[in-house]
Amino acid sequence: MTKAPEKNRIRRKDRILNAAEALFAKHGFEGVSMRMVADSAEVDLALASYHFGSKRGLFDAVLLRRAEVLNDLRLAALEKCQAEAGGNGPSVEAIIDAFLHPLLGEGLQADEGWLHYFELIAQVNSSYEWGGQLMTKYFDPLVRKFMEALKAALPDAEPQDFYWCYHFLSGALTLTMAHTGRIDQLSDGAVKSEDMVGAYERMVPFMAAGFKKMCEKG
Amino acid sequence: MTKAPEKNRIRRKDRILNAAEALFAKHGFEGVSMRMVADSAEVDLALASYHFGSKRGLFDAVLLRRAEVLNDLRLAALEKCQAEAGGNGPSVEAIIDAFLHPLLGEGLQADEGWLHYFELIAQVNSSYEWGGQLMTKYFDPLVRKFMEALKAALPDAEPQDFYWCYHFLSGALTLTMAHTGRIDQLSDGAVKSEDMVGAYERMVPFMAAGFKKMCEKG
DNA sequence: GATTAAATTCAACGTTTGTTGAAATGTCAA
DNA sequence: TTGACATTTCAACAAACGTTGAATTTAATC
């Protein structure tokens, strides 16, 4: 009898998910082969197909695994900021803060697996092939709740202005999570693209100012 | 003698570039095969390897082809706004306008090839694998000129604030050029992700407000 | 311990991949 | 027309690809 046999079995499946998560984040769906995943997870080639049916099934499993956890965390952040606000509802700053904090705050950022997941989401979100479909599938209900809260804080906003503003916020967040290292080079090392807290602290007032400029009267 | 034989020869090379440009933009480097390119360009498979050496060589040629043209256009836009400004130099709004107008204005947006190129750039910019290296190689000198102009318009900016602000602008622009269709779905059709003029008109004041909020005293 | 099902390994399959050498065709100058 | 060179085609290569059926091992139940 080996040590902790059952745990060892379960671990294989998760090792495959972890390896696939990291590899898909770096090289994209087509840039990763099942053999790369199997080698990285130190597992037989056929095992990934056995557990997930196909390469696409593995990809979906990677995306799905953390989606619900993340949505719950972000929903809790939204509800907390709404509970703390007075009867007029939370400010634009508070909503954007709740939108970004679970992603860029110190909690999940300390976990290597979550970092890979965020990189993967960034890649998916800006891909023509997957961007529209997959993001909608996994994150639409939550995003719509944030947008409702923002609309309440910006009652005079024109729909087109409002949606473009959200799009700008989404784009800035996406590139930030992608960790391409470009900001490091442009700033000659003055800014580290891994400094998510620095990005987070600046993104909140920056985006709030943009929203107000475009979506408030006067 | 066939009609215009020499032009026919040249056209093959460009047909390959056009087909590769569109395909790489949609499916990424690894998602495209040389056979897909050859079929789409209606050209023999071996011809692409003959003209560009390798698949990677073809990819680089696609990126390089329009890079210089684009950089010249954007530099002209910057110099024009600087010439029109008084002795204090152009405003933040004017610089951001010059930064965005060649990309999102009606000029190049009317050309299908340029649209594919912008989608490709968006994909490259947010990819971990290529993002840092390739964007730096092709666009760094120009971007640095815009950043110098912005620094002059925001003399009190802290470097970290300033570079993160530029990063947010870059991210919003990148997602806008990617045409993922996500904004269409989130807005239930109220916003079309192809409406680059609508995005452009809103991005200028939005980003200028963010820059000022973060990089001006008081 | 025997039985059953799940997990894992092994070996191989039929495709598709990027690339290349040789042959054929086209172009242009002398 | 001849010769020289660039272009295009054809056929094929070895390698890598995702997937699968059969055999083996492991885990849990009786």
Side-chain angles (χ1 to χ4, degrees):
Chain A
M1 314 202 179
T2 58
K3 253 199 267 183
E6 188 195 347
K7 283 195 177 176
N8 217 341
R9 199 203 312 168
I10 293 178
R11 263 192 217 148
R12 303 264 187 128
K13 206 169 165 178
D14 274 323
R15 278 221 310 272
I16 294 172
L17 284 171
N18 291 337
E21 187 173 58
L23 287 169
F24 284 139
K26 302 294 184 197
H27 312 110
F29 178 76
E30 320 265 9
V32 174
S33 72
M34 297 294 267
R35 284 166 178 83
M36 289 167 68
V37 174
D39 287 352
S40 171
E42 294 181 292
V43 144
D44 186 86
L45 164 63
L47 199 55
S49 290
Y50 169 76
H51 277 301
F52 303 101
S54 66
K55 183 183 175 184
R56 178 58 199 264
L58 171 59
F59 188 74
D60 284 339
V62 167
L63 252 63
L64 185 59
R65 177 169 62 152
R66 300 191 199 263
E68 197 175 352
V69 178
L70 183 57
N71 283 335
D72 287 349
L73 279 172
R74 297 180 85 186
L75 181 58
L78 175 61
E79 288 173 344
K80 181 184 169 207
C81 100
Q82 284 173 326
E84 286 171 352
N88 294 336
S91 66
V92 175
E93 279 88 351
I95 298 166
I96 295 178
D97 189 284
F99 186 75
L100 297 176
H101 189 263
L103 297 169
L104 303 178
E106 284 157 346
L108 302 185
Q109 286 287 331
D111 182 281
E112 195 185 20
W114 277 103
L115 280 178
H116 293 147
Y117 186 72
F118 293 144
E119 285 178 21
L120 178 58
I121 294 299
Q123 186 150 130
V124 168
N125 191 38
S126 51
S127 134
Y128 175 88
E129 203 153 28
W130 316 91
Q133 305 263 18
L134 286 185
M135 294 301 290
T136 295
K137 177 176 172 188
Y138 290 115
F139 299 112
D140 239 32
L142 177 89
V143 168
R144 284 175 182 271
K145 282 178 184 155
F146 272 98
M147 298 210 304
E148 286 308 310
L150 274 172
K151 275 184 191 168
L154 296 163
D156 296 329
E158 297 283 339
Q160 289 220 348
D161 295 332
F162 177 79
Y163 288 113
W164 277 121
C165 286
Y166 169 77
H167 177 86
F168 300 153
L169 167 59
S170 176
L173 174 59
T174 297
L175 186 60
T176 301
M177 293 195 306
H179 288 141
T180 67
R182 178 143 163 74
I183 183 94
D184 308 64
Q185 293 186 287
L186 276 175
S187 69
D188 297 315
V191 177
K192 310 283 183 196
S193 62
E194 294 86 13
D195 176 23
M196 291 297 97
V197 175
Y200 158 62
E201 288 172 349
R202 290 164 178 96
M203 207 184 301
V204 174
F206 183 104
M207 293 295 156
F211 264 98
K212 288 179 183 174
K213 171 77 177 177
M214 293 306 297
C215 300
E216 283 183 351
K217 294 219 168 179
Chain B
M1 312 201 178
T2 58
K3 252 198 268 183
E6 188 193 349
K7 284 194 177 177
N8 217 341
R9 198 200 315 165
I10 293 179
R11 261 191 216 149
R12 303 262 186 133
K13 206 168 166 179
D14 273 323
R15 279 222 309 273
I16 295 172
L17 284 171
N18 291 339
E21 188 173 57
L23 287 168
F24 283 139
K26 301 294 183 198
H27 312 111
F29 179 76
E30 320 265 9
V32 174
S33 72
M34 297 294 270
R35 282 166 179 83
M36 290 166 68
V37 174
D39 288 352
S40 171
E42 296 181 291
V43 142
D44 187 87
L45 164 63
L47 199 55
S49 289
Y50 168 76
H51 278 301
F52 304 101
S54 66
K55 183 182 175 185
R56 178 56 199 263
L58 171 59
F59 188 74
D60 284 339
V62 168
L63 252 62
L64 185 58
R65 177 170 61 149
R66 300 191 197 265
E68 198 177 351
V69 179
L70 183 57
N71 283 335
D72 287 349
L73 280 172
R74 297 180 86 186
L75 182 58
L78 175 61
E79 288 173 344
K80 182 185 169 207
C81 102
Q82 284 172 327
E84 287 171 352
N88 294 336
S91 66
V92 176
E93 278 89 350
I95 298 166
I96 295 178
D97 189 284
F99 186 75
L100 297 176
H101 189 263
L103 297 169
L104 302 179
E106 285 157 346
L108 303 185
Q109 286 287 330
D111 182 282
E112 196 184 21
W114 277 103
L115 281 177
H116 293 147
Y117 186 73
F118 293 145
E119 285 179 20
L120 178 58
I121 294 299
Q123 186 151 130
V124 168
N125 191 38
S126 51
S127 130
Y128 175 87
E129 204 155 27
W130 317 90
Q133 304 265 14
L134 286 185
M135 294 300 290
T136 295
K137 177 177 173 187
Y138 289 115
F139 299 113
D140 239 32
L142 176 89
V143 168
R144 284 174 182 272
K145 282 177 185 155
F146 272 98
M147 299 212 303
E148 287 308 311
L150 273 173
K151 274 183 192 168
L154 296 162
D156 296 330
E158 296 283 337
Q160 290 219 346
D161 294 332
F162 177 79
Y163 287 113
W164 276 120
C165 286
Y166 170 77
H167 177 85
F168 300 152
L169 167 60
S170 176
L173 173 60
T174 297
L175 186 59
T176 301
M177 294 195 305
H179 288 144
T180 67
R182 180 145 162 72
I183 184 99
D184 307 64
Q185 293 187 286
L186 276 176
S187 69
D188 296 314
V191 176
K192 310 282 183 196
S193 62
E194 294 85 15
D195 176 22
M196 292 297 97
V197 175
Y200 159 63
E201 288 172 348
R202 290 164 178 94
M203 207 184 302
V204 174
F206 184 103
M207 293 294 155
F211 264 98
K212 288 178 182 172
K213 171 75 179 180
M214 294 307 296
C215 299
E216 283 182 350
K217 294 219 167 174

